[in-house]
Amino acid sequence: MCGIIGYAGHRPAVPVVMEGLRRLEYRGYDSSGVAWLRQGEMHVVRAVGKLGALEERLARAEGVVTPVCAMGHTRWATHGAPAERNAHPHCSNDRSLSLVHNGIIENYQELKADLAARGHVFHSDTDTEVLVNLIAEHRKTESDLLHAFAAALRQARGAYAVCLMSVDEPGVLYAARMSAPLIFGLGTGEHFVASDIPAFLPYTRQVVFLEDGDMVRVSAKEYSILRLEDMQPAQRGVETIQWDMQAAQKGGYRHFMLKEIFEQPRVVADGLSGRVDAQGGSVLLHELDALPVPRRLHIVACGTSWHSGLWGRHLLEHWARVPVQVEIASEFRYRESLLLDKDDMVLAISQSGETADTLAALRMAREKGATTLGLCNVVGSSIAREAAAVLYTQAGPEISVASTKAMCSQMLMLALMALYWGGRQGVLPAEEVRRNTEILKGIPDVLAGALPAMHARARELSRAYAGARNFFYLGRGHCHPLALEGALKLKELSYIHAEGYAAGEMKHGPIALIDPSFPTFVLALNDALLPKVVSNMVEVQARQGKTLVLAHEGTAVGGDDLWTIPFLPSPLAGFVVLPALQLFSYEMADYLGKDVDQPRNLAKSVTVE
Ligand code: F6R
């Protein structure tokens, strides 16, 4: 998830673009760059690391103040490691064109091979460099740049928000979007395009929300919006933004955590992009093609990522018939696991890719000769680099310290792995793979439709239970890891003591704690284990324990407070359970006046033991 900005107007353009990049930095910050035209030449300055590194380079560059048209990019690496050669903007071979891009061009390998055969040379690992050369190639035959731009975009499959500059048209920007955000800002004698409104909010509140398939041609004084499919003008309304800057940086949400919870429909949609074949009967995880299907899989992780691993075990064992051990990384690394041998695979799950214990567990596994695999969100992180193979979750930067959308993206990848190995081993029929990929594809819409009502219910229930100082979370089967996650979220955000338990374990001791002041959050989904969970809930009620029950719409389960969510078949129902648990903890912490995005004593990336 990168940030892009383009400016054409009357002000010095590079400082305007740099200020915009600062406000887009939450979208990614492994490298950045700007491009501008001066005396008929394309100037590009790029740097690895945070924006400060780019600022230092620009301070030494010449002619930065005069241009009135420029564009910039802040990168969250997808194709290619964070390195200067992969930083944007990227230029065509003849340096007549320069492009910034947010998104993924799925067929870039194919396009690249074709362009290479026509003599184009590539200096980066990115899909963006392919696209800019494709535009240059079309420029040779099309009547003008607009048509060349459109012809190239029609060939590209995938997601993009792009901004283009040409040495032949100083003061003009071209931009387009498809499944990636791009907003057009209209100032007085100046225009902007950007991935998000905060990038230009100090200059204008007048915006056009571009739609998929829209292209714009922009100069300081003029603009036109066209449809990519037929090049006809598009009528788009201008809207006035009301938010203040602080709110805008969080995309209008009160906290990053809430924003990230609400991003989960997009996270699932992005995670599925390019991962299922056209018929839906097989899952495409090319990163795993060269590795053997593991004889035994050891998952190592910490905290929320460990909960993802526990959840994933249910699917991996059920669908792929792969035996799975799930280990807390800090324990695994110091234990002599007699089960681990060189024919096994060790999967390290880590949002940051930098968690010290998970990294150490991965290294230990590698020393023992096991095949190692990373499941990471941050591209180019230590675990991603050190594992024999890596799968990226592509959830985008997670800014709130408490992990939310990262778990959703890890669950998605684990489900895809289970379907992939199940299909590859022939133990899961293509029809079953198809049925489950269809359910997965439906999740973004189910979630997007359900989240507002779930948020409202979470608010009501958090007020009703705000007096509790202790909580149990109970679940069985695939809901047990979710119960653990619900309890972790509640304790880390609201500082209320909470314990996640396998519902069937309550009567072996913990039920002694139950009294009228000790409520229990029960995950009672409509699946084979429901009667068992209901029995455990009744046992709690018989001890005067209050129960808050999360159940599927239309299922009568009882309990003191019922919270219903849309039905999805188990185990994929977890994709709706997870945000309910997150929203309850979020609302509880906010109501109790806690620092939601930066809870006490915690850090986003735990790089010490
Ligand atoms: C909880 C949370 C932590 C992390 C844990 C592992 O909300 O964020 O429990 O999940 O520190 O971090 P990663 O996934 O970066 O290895």
Side-chain angles (χ1 to χ4, degrees):
M1 221 173 67
C2 308
I4 68 172
I5 175 165
Y7 173 78
H10 51 82
R11 301 171 205 266
V14 176
V16 171
V17 163
M18 285 303 290
E19 195 187 342
L21 288 182
R22 183 65 69 205
R23 294 201 190 84
L24 292 174
E25 205 179 10
Y26 77 91
R27 299 180 67 83
Y29 34 79
D30 59 53
S31 56
S32 54
V34 287
W36 68 92
L37 289 170
R38 184 166 165 251
Q39 294 166 355
E41 268 184 46
M42 190 70 74
H43 289 256
V44 173
V45 174
R46 308 183 292 188
V48 173
K50 294 220 166 198
L51 272 180
L54 182 64
E55 271 162 357
E56 272 174 32
R57 291 213 169 167
L58 282 172
R60 295 196 299 270
E62 281 181 16
V64 172
V65 179
T66 42
V68 287
C69 182
M71 62 186 191
H73 185 272
T74 179
R75 182 166 187 252
W76 196 84
T78 53
H79 287 94
E84 193 175 328
R85 70 175 195 290
N86 290 329
H88 300 213
H90 288 279
C91 291
S92 55
N93 282 172
D94 61 3
R95 289 191 73 83
S96 66
L97 301 176
S98 181
L99 188 77
V100 289
H101 168 214
N102 168 34
I104 298 174
I105 305 299
E106 287 167 9
N107 58 337
Y108 84 106
Q109 292 285 22
E110 227 169 89
L111 297 170
K112 189 173 185 174
D114 190 48
L115 288 167
R118 290 165 190 266
H120 290 261
V121 178
F122 297 94
H123 307 281
S124 78
D125 311 318
T126 66
D127 47 354
T128 309
E129 194 186 14
V130 174
L131 189 56
V132 70
N133 278 289
L134 187 63
I135 301 166
E137 187 63 28
H138 280 290
R139 184 68 191 91
K140 292 177 188 165
T141 50
E142 295 289 343
S143 55
D144 57 22
L145 183 56
L146 185 66
H147 284 84
F149 187 37
L153 292 177
R154 282 190 207 113
Q155 261 187 287
R157 270 203 320 270
Y160 53 77
V162 282
C163 186
L164 175 74
M165 284 173 64
S166 164
V167 290
D168 297 329
E169 294 180 74
V172 174
L173 294 172
Y174 292 85
R177 72 157 277 174
M178 185 69 74
S179 306
L182 191 64
I183 295 129
F184 176 47
L186 299 90
T188 310
E190 57 188 348
H191 290 123
F192 306 79
V193 285
S195 301
D196 203 354
I197 295 162
F200 54 70
L201 204 54
Y203 304 106
T204 182
R205 286 173 177 269
Q206 305 298 307
V207 306
V208 173
F209 291 97
L210 296 171
E211 293 183 11
D212 279 352
D214 280 354
M215 302 172 69
V216 281
R217 184 183 185 279
V218 176
S219 66
K221 301 235 164 71
E222 292 171 346
Y223 74 91
S224 51
I225 306 178
L226 305 169
R227 295 293 300 157
L228 177 58
E229 66 217 19
D230 54 11
M231 308 298 277
Q232 292 303 305
Q235 302 306 321
R236 300 276 174 260
V238 177
E239 298 184 34
T240 305
I241 297 302
Q242 308 291 352
W243 336 311
D244 60 38
M245 269 309 294
Q246 175 76 5
Q249 273 157 348
K250 291 171 183 151
Y253 290 90
R254 257 167 66 67
H255 296 99
F256 283 110
M257 181 180 174
L258 190 60
K259 175 167 178 269
E260 288 160 6
I261 292 172
F262 272 79
E263 277 174 358
Q264 289 173 118
R266 198 243 339 124
V267 164
V268 176
D270 285 1
L272 283 171
S273 169
R275 293 304 194 177
V276 180
D277 75 342
Q279 288 73 39
S282 63
V283 164
L284 310 172
L285 293 180
H286 298 305
E287 298 89 331
L288 303 187
D289 287 348
L291 303 180
V293 178
R295 195 185 61 112
R296 187 163 43 210
L297 182 70
H298 305 256
I299 297 180
V300 293
C302 301
T304 292
S305 296
W306 179 64
H307 298 155
S308 295
L310 290 169
W311 182 86
R313 171 167 62 186
H314 288 271
L315 286 74
L316 287 158
E317 292 194 335
H318 182 55
W319 287 341
R321 314 307 289 174
V322 171
V324 181
Q325 293 273 116
V326 187
E327 308 264 1
I328 293 175
S330 56
E331 290 294 312
F332 179 78
R333 62 181 293 194
Y334 293 117
R335 207 181 83 235
E336 196 185 344
S337 173
L338 298 179
L339 282 178
L340 179 65
D341 80 29
K342 60 178 180 30
D343 293 327
D344 292 357
M345 181 185 283
V346 171
L347 168 65
I349 306 179
S350 175
Q351 186 283 131
S352 61
E354 300 294 347
T355 299
D357 285 317
T358 312
L359 181 59
L362 180 94
R363 287 177 179 158
M364 189 185 96
R366 206 180 46 194
E367 275 162 27
K368 292 199 169 184
T371 305
T372 54
L373 176 64
L375 179 57
C376 301
N377 194 35
V378 178
V379 173
S381 55
S382 301
I383 291 173
R385 278 185 280 113
E386 294 194 24
V390 62
L391 284 167
Y392 284 116
T393 51
Q394 300 187 18
E398 194 177 57
I399 296 165
S400 179
V401 166
S403 195
T404 53
K405 63 176 179 171
M407 180 162 177
C408 171
S409 66
Q410 291 165 350
M411 285 165 55
L412 179 69
M413 291 311 293
L414 287 161
L416 290 173
M417 282 164 76
L419 293 171
Y420 167 85
W421 277 328
R424 192 171 135 188
Q425 296 209 94
V427 293
L428 191 68
E431 197 37 56
E432 269 302 285
V433 176
R434 189 172 302 112
R435 196 176 67 77
N436 285 293
T437 54
E438 281 308 310
I439 298 170
L440 288 171
K441 284 186 204 160
I443 287 174
D445 284 346
V446 172
L447 270 188
L451 278 171
M454 283 165 70
H455 188 197
R457 186 71 176 134
R459 180 171 299 155
E460 267 168 33
L461 289 167
S462 65
R463 273 47 170 180
Y465 285 84
R469 298 316 310 144
N470 297 286
F471 246 98
F472 271 128
Y473 280 70
L474 301 186
R476 277 178 179 255
H478 70 98
C479 279
H480 173 225
L482 297 169
L484 298 180
E485 176 61 7
L488 176 62
K489 281 288 155 289
L490 191 71
K491 67 186 131 192
E492 72 179 322
L493 292 166
S494 65
Y495 319 144
I496 293 172
H497 168 240
E499 302 251 14
Y501 255 94
E505 271 294 287
M506 279 293 278
K507 54 185 159 307
H508 299 288
I511 203 164
L513 289 167
I514 292 291
D515 68 20
S517 70
F518 199 135
T520 300
F521 197 131
V522 185
L523 307 184
L525 301 190
N526 195 354
D527 59 27
L529 291 173
L530 181 62
K532 313 280 174 206
V533 176
V534 170
S535 303
N536 301 137
M537 181 189 77
V538 171
E539 288 155 11
V540 169
Q541 288 181 303
R543 274 91 192 160
Q544 283 80 51
K546 216 172 161 207
T547 52
L548 191 178
V549 183
L550 192 74
H552 281 142
E553 282 159 1
T555 316
V557 288
D560 296 302
D561 286 293
L562 184 63
W563 182 356
T564 56
I565 53 171
F567 176 78
L568 275 187
S570 290
L572 299 178
F575 284 96
V576 189
V577 174
L578 181 69
L581 298 170
Q582 295 165 344
L583 285 164
F584 180 70
S585 299
Y586 167 80
E587 280 298 330
M588 183 70 90
D590 194 33
Y591 183 61
L592 296 178
K594 308 299 183 206
D595 185 342
V596 172
D597 280 334
Q598 287 165 342
R600 71 184 181 203
N601 305 342
L602 300 180
K604 187 73 189 151
S605 180
V606 184
T607 53
V608 290
E609 276 195 54

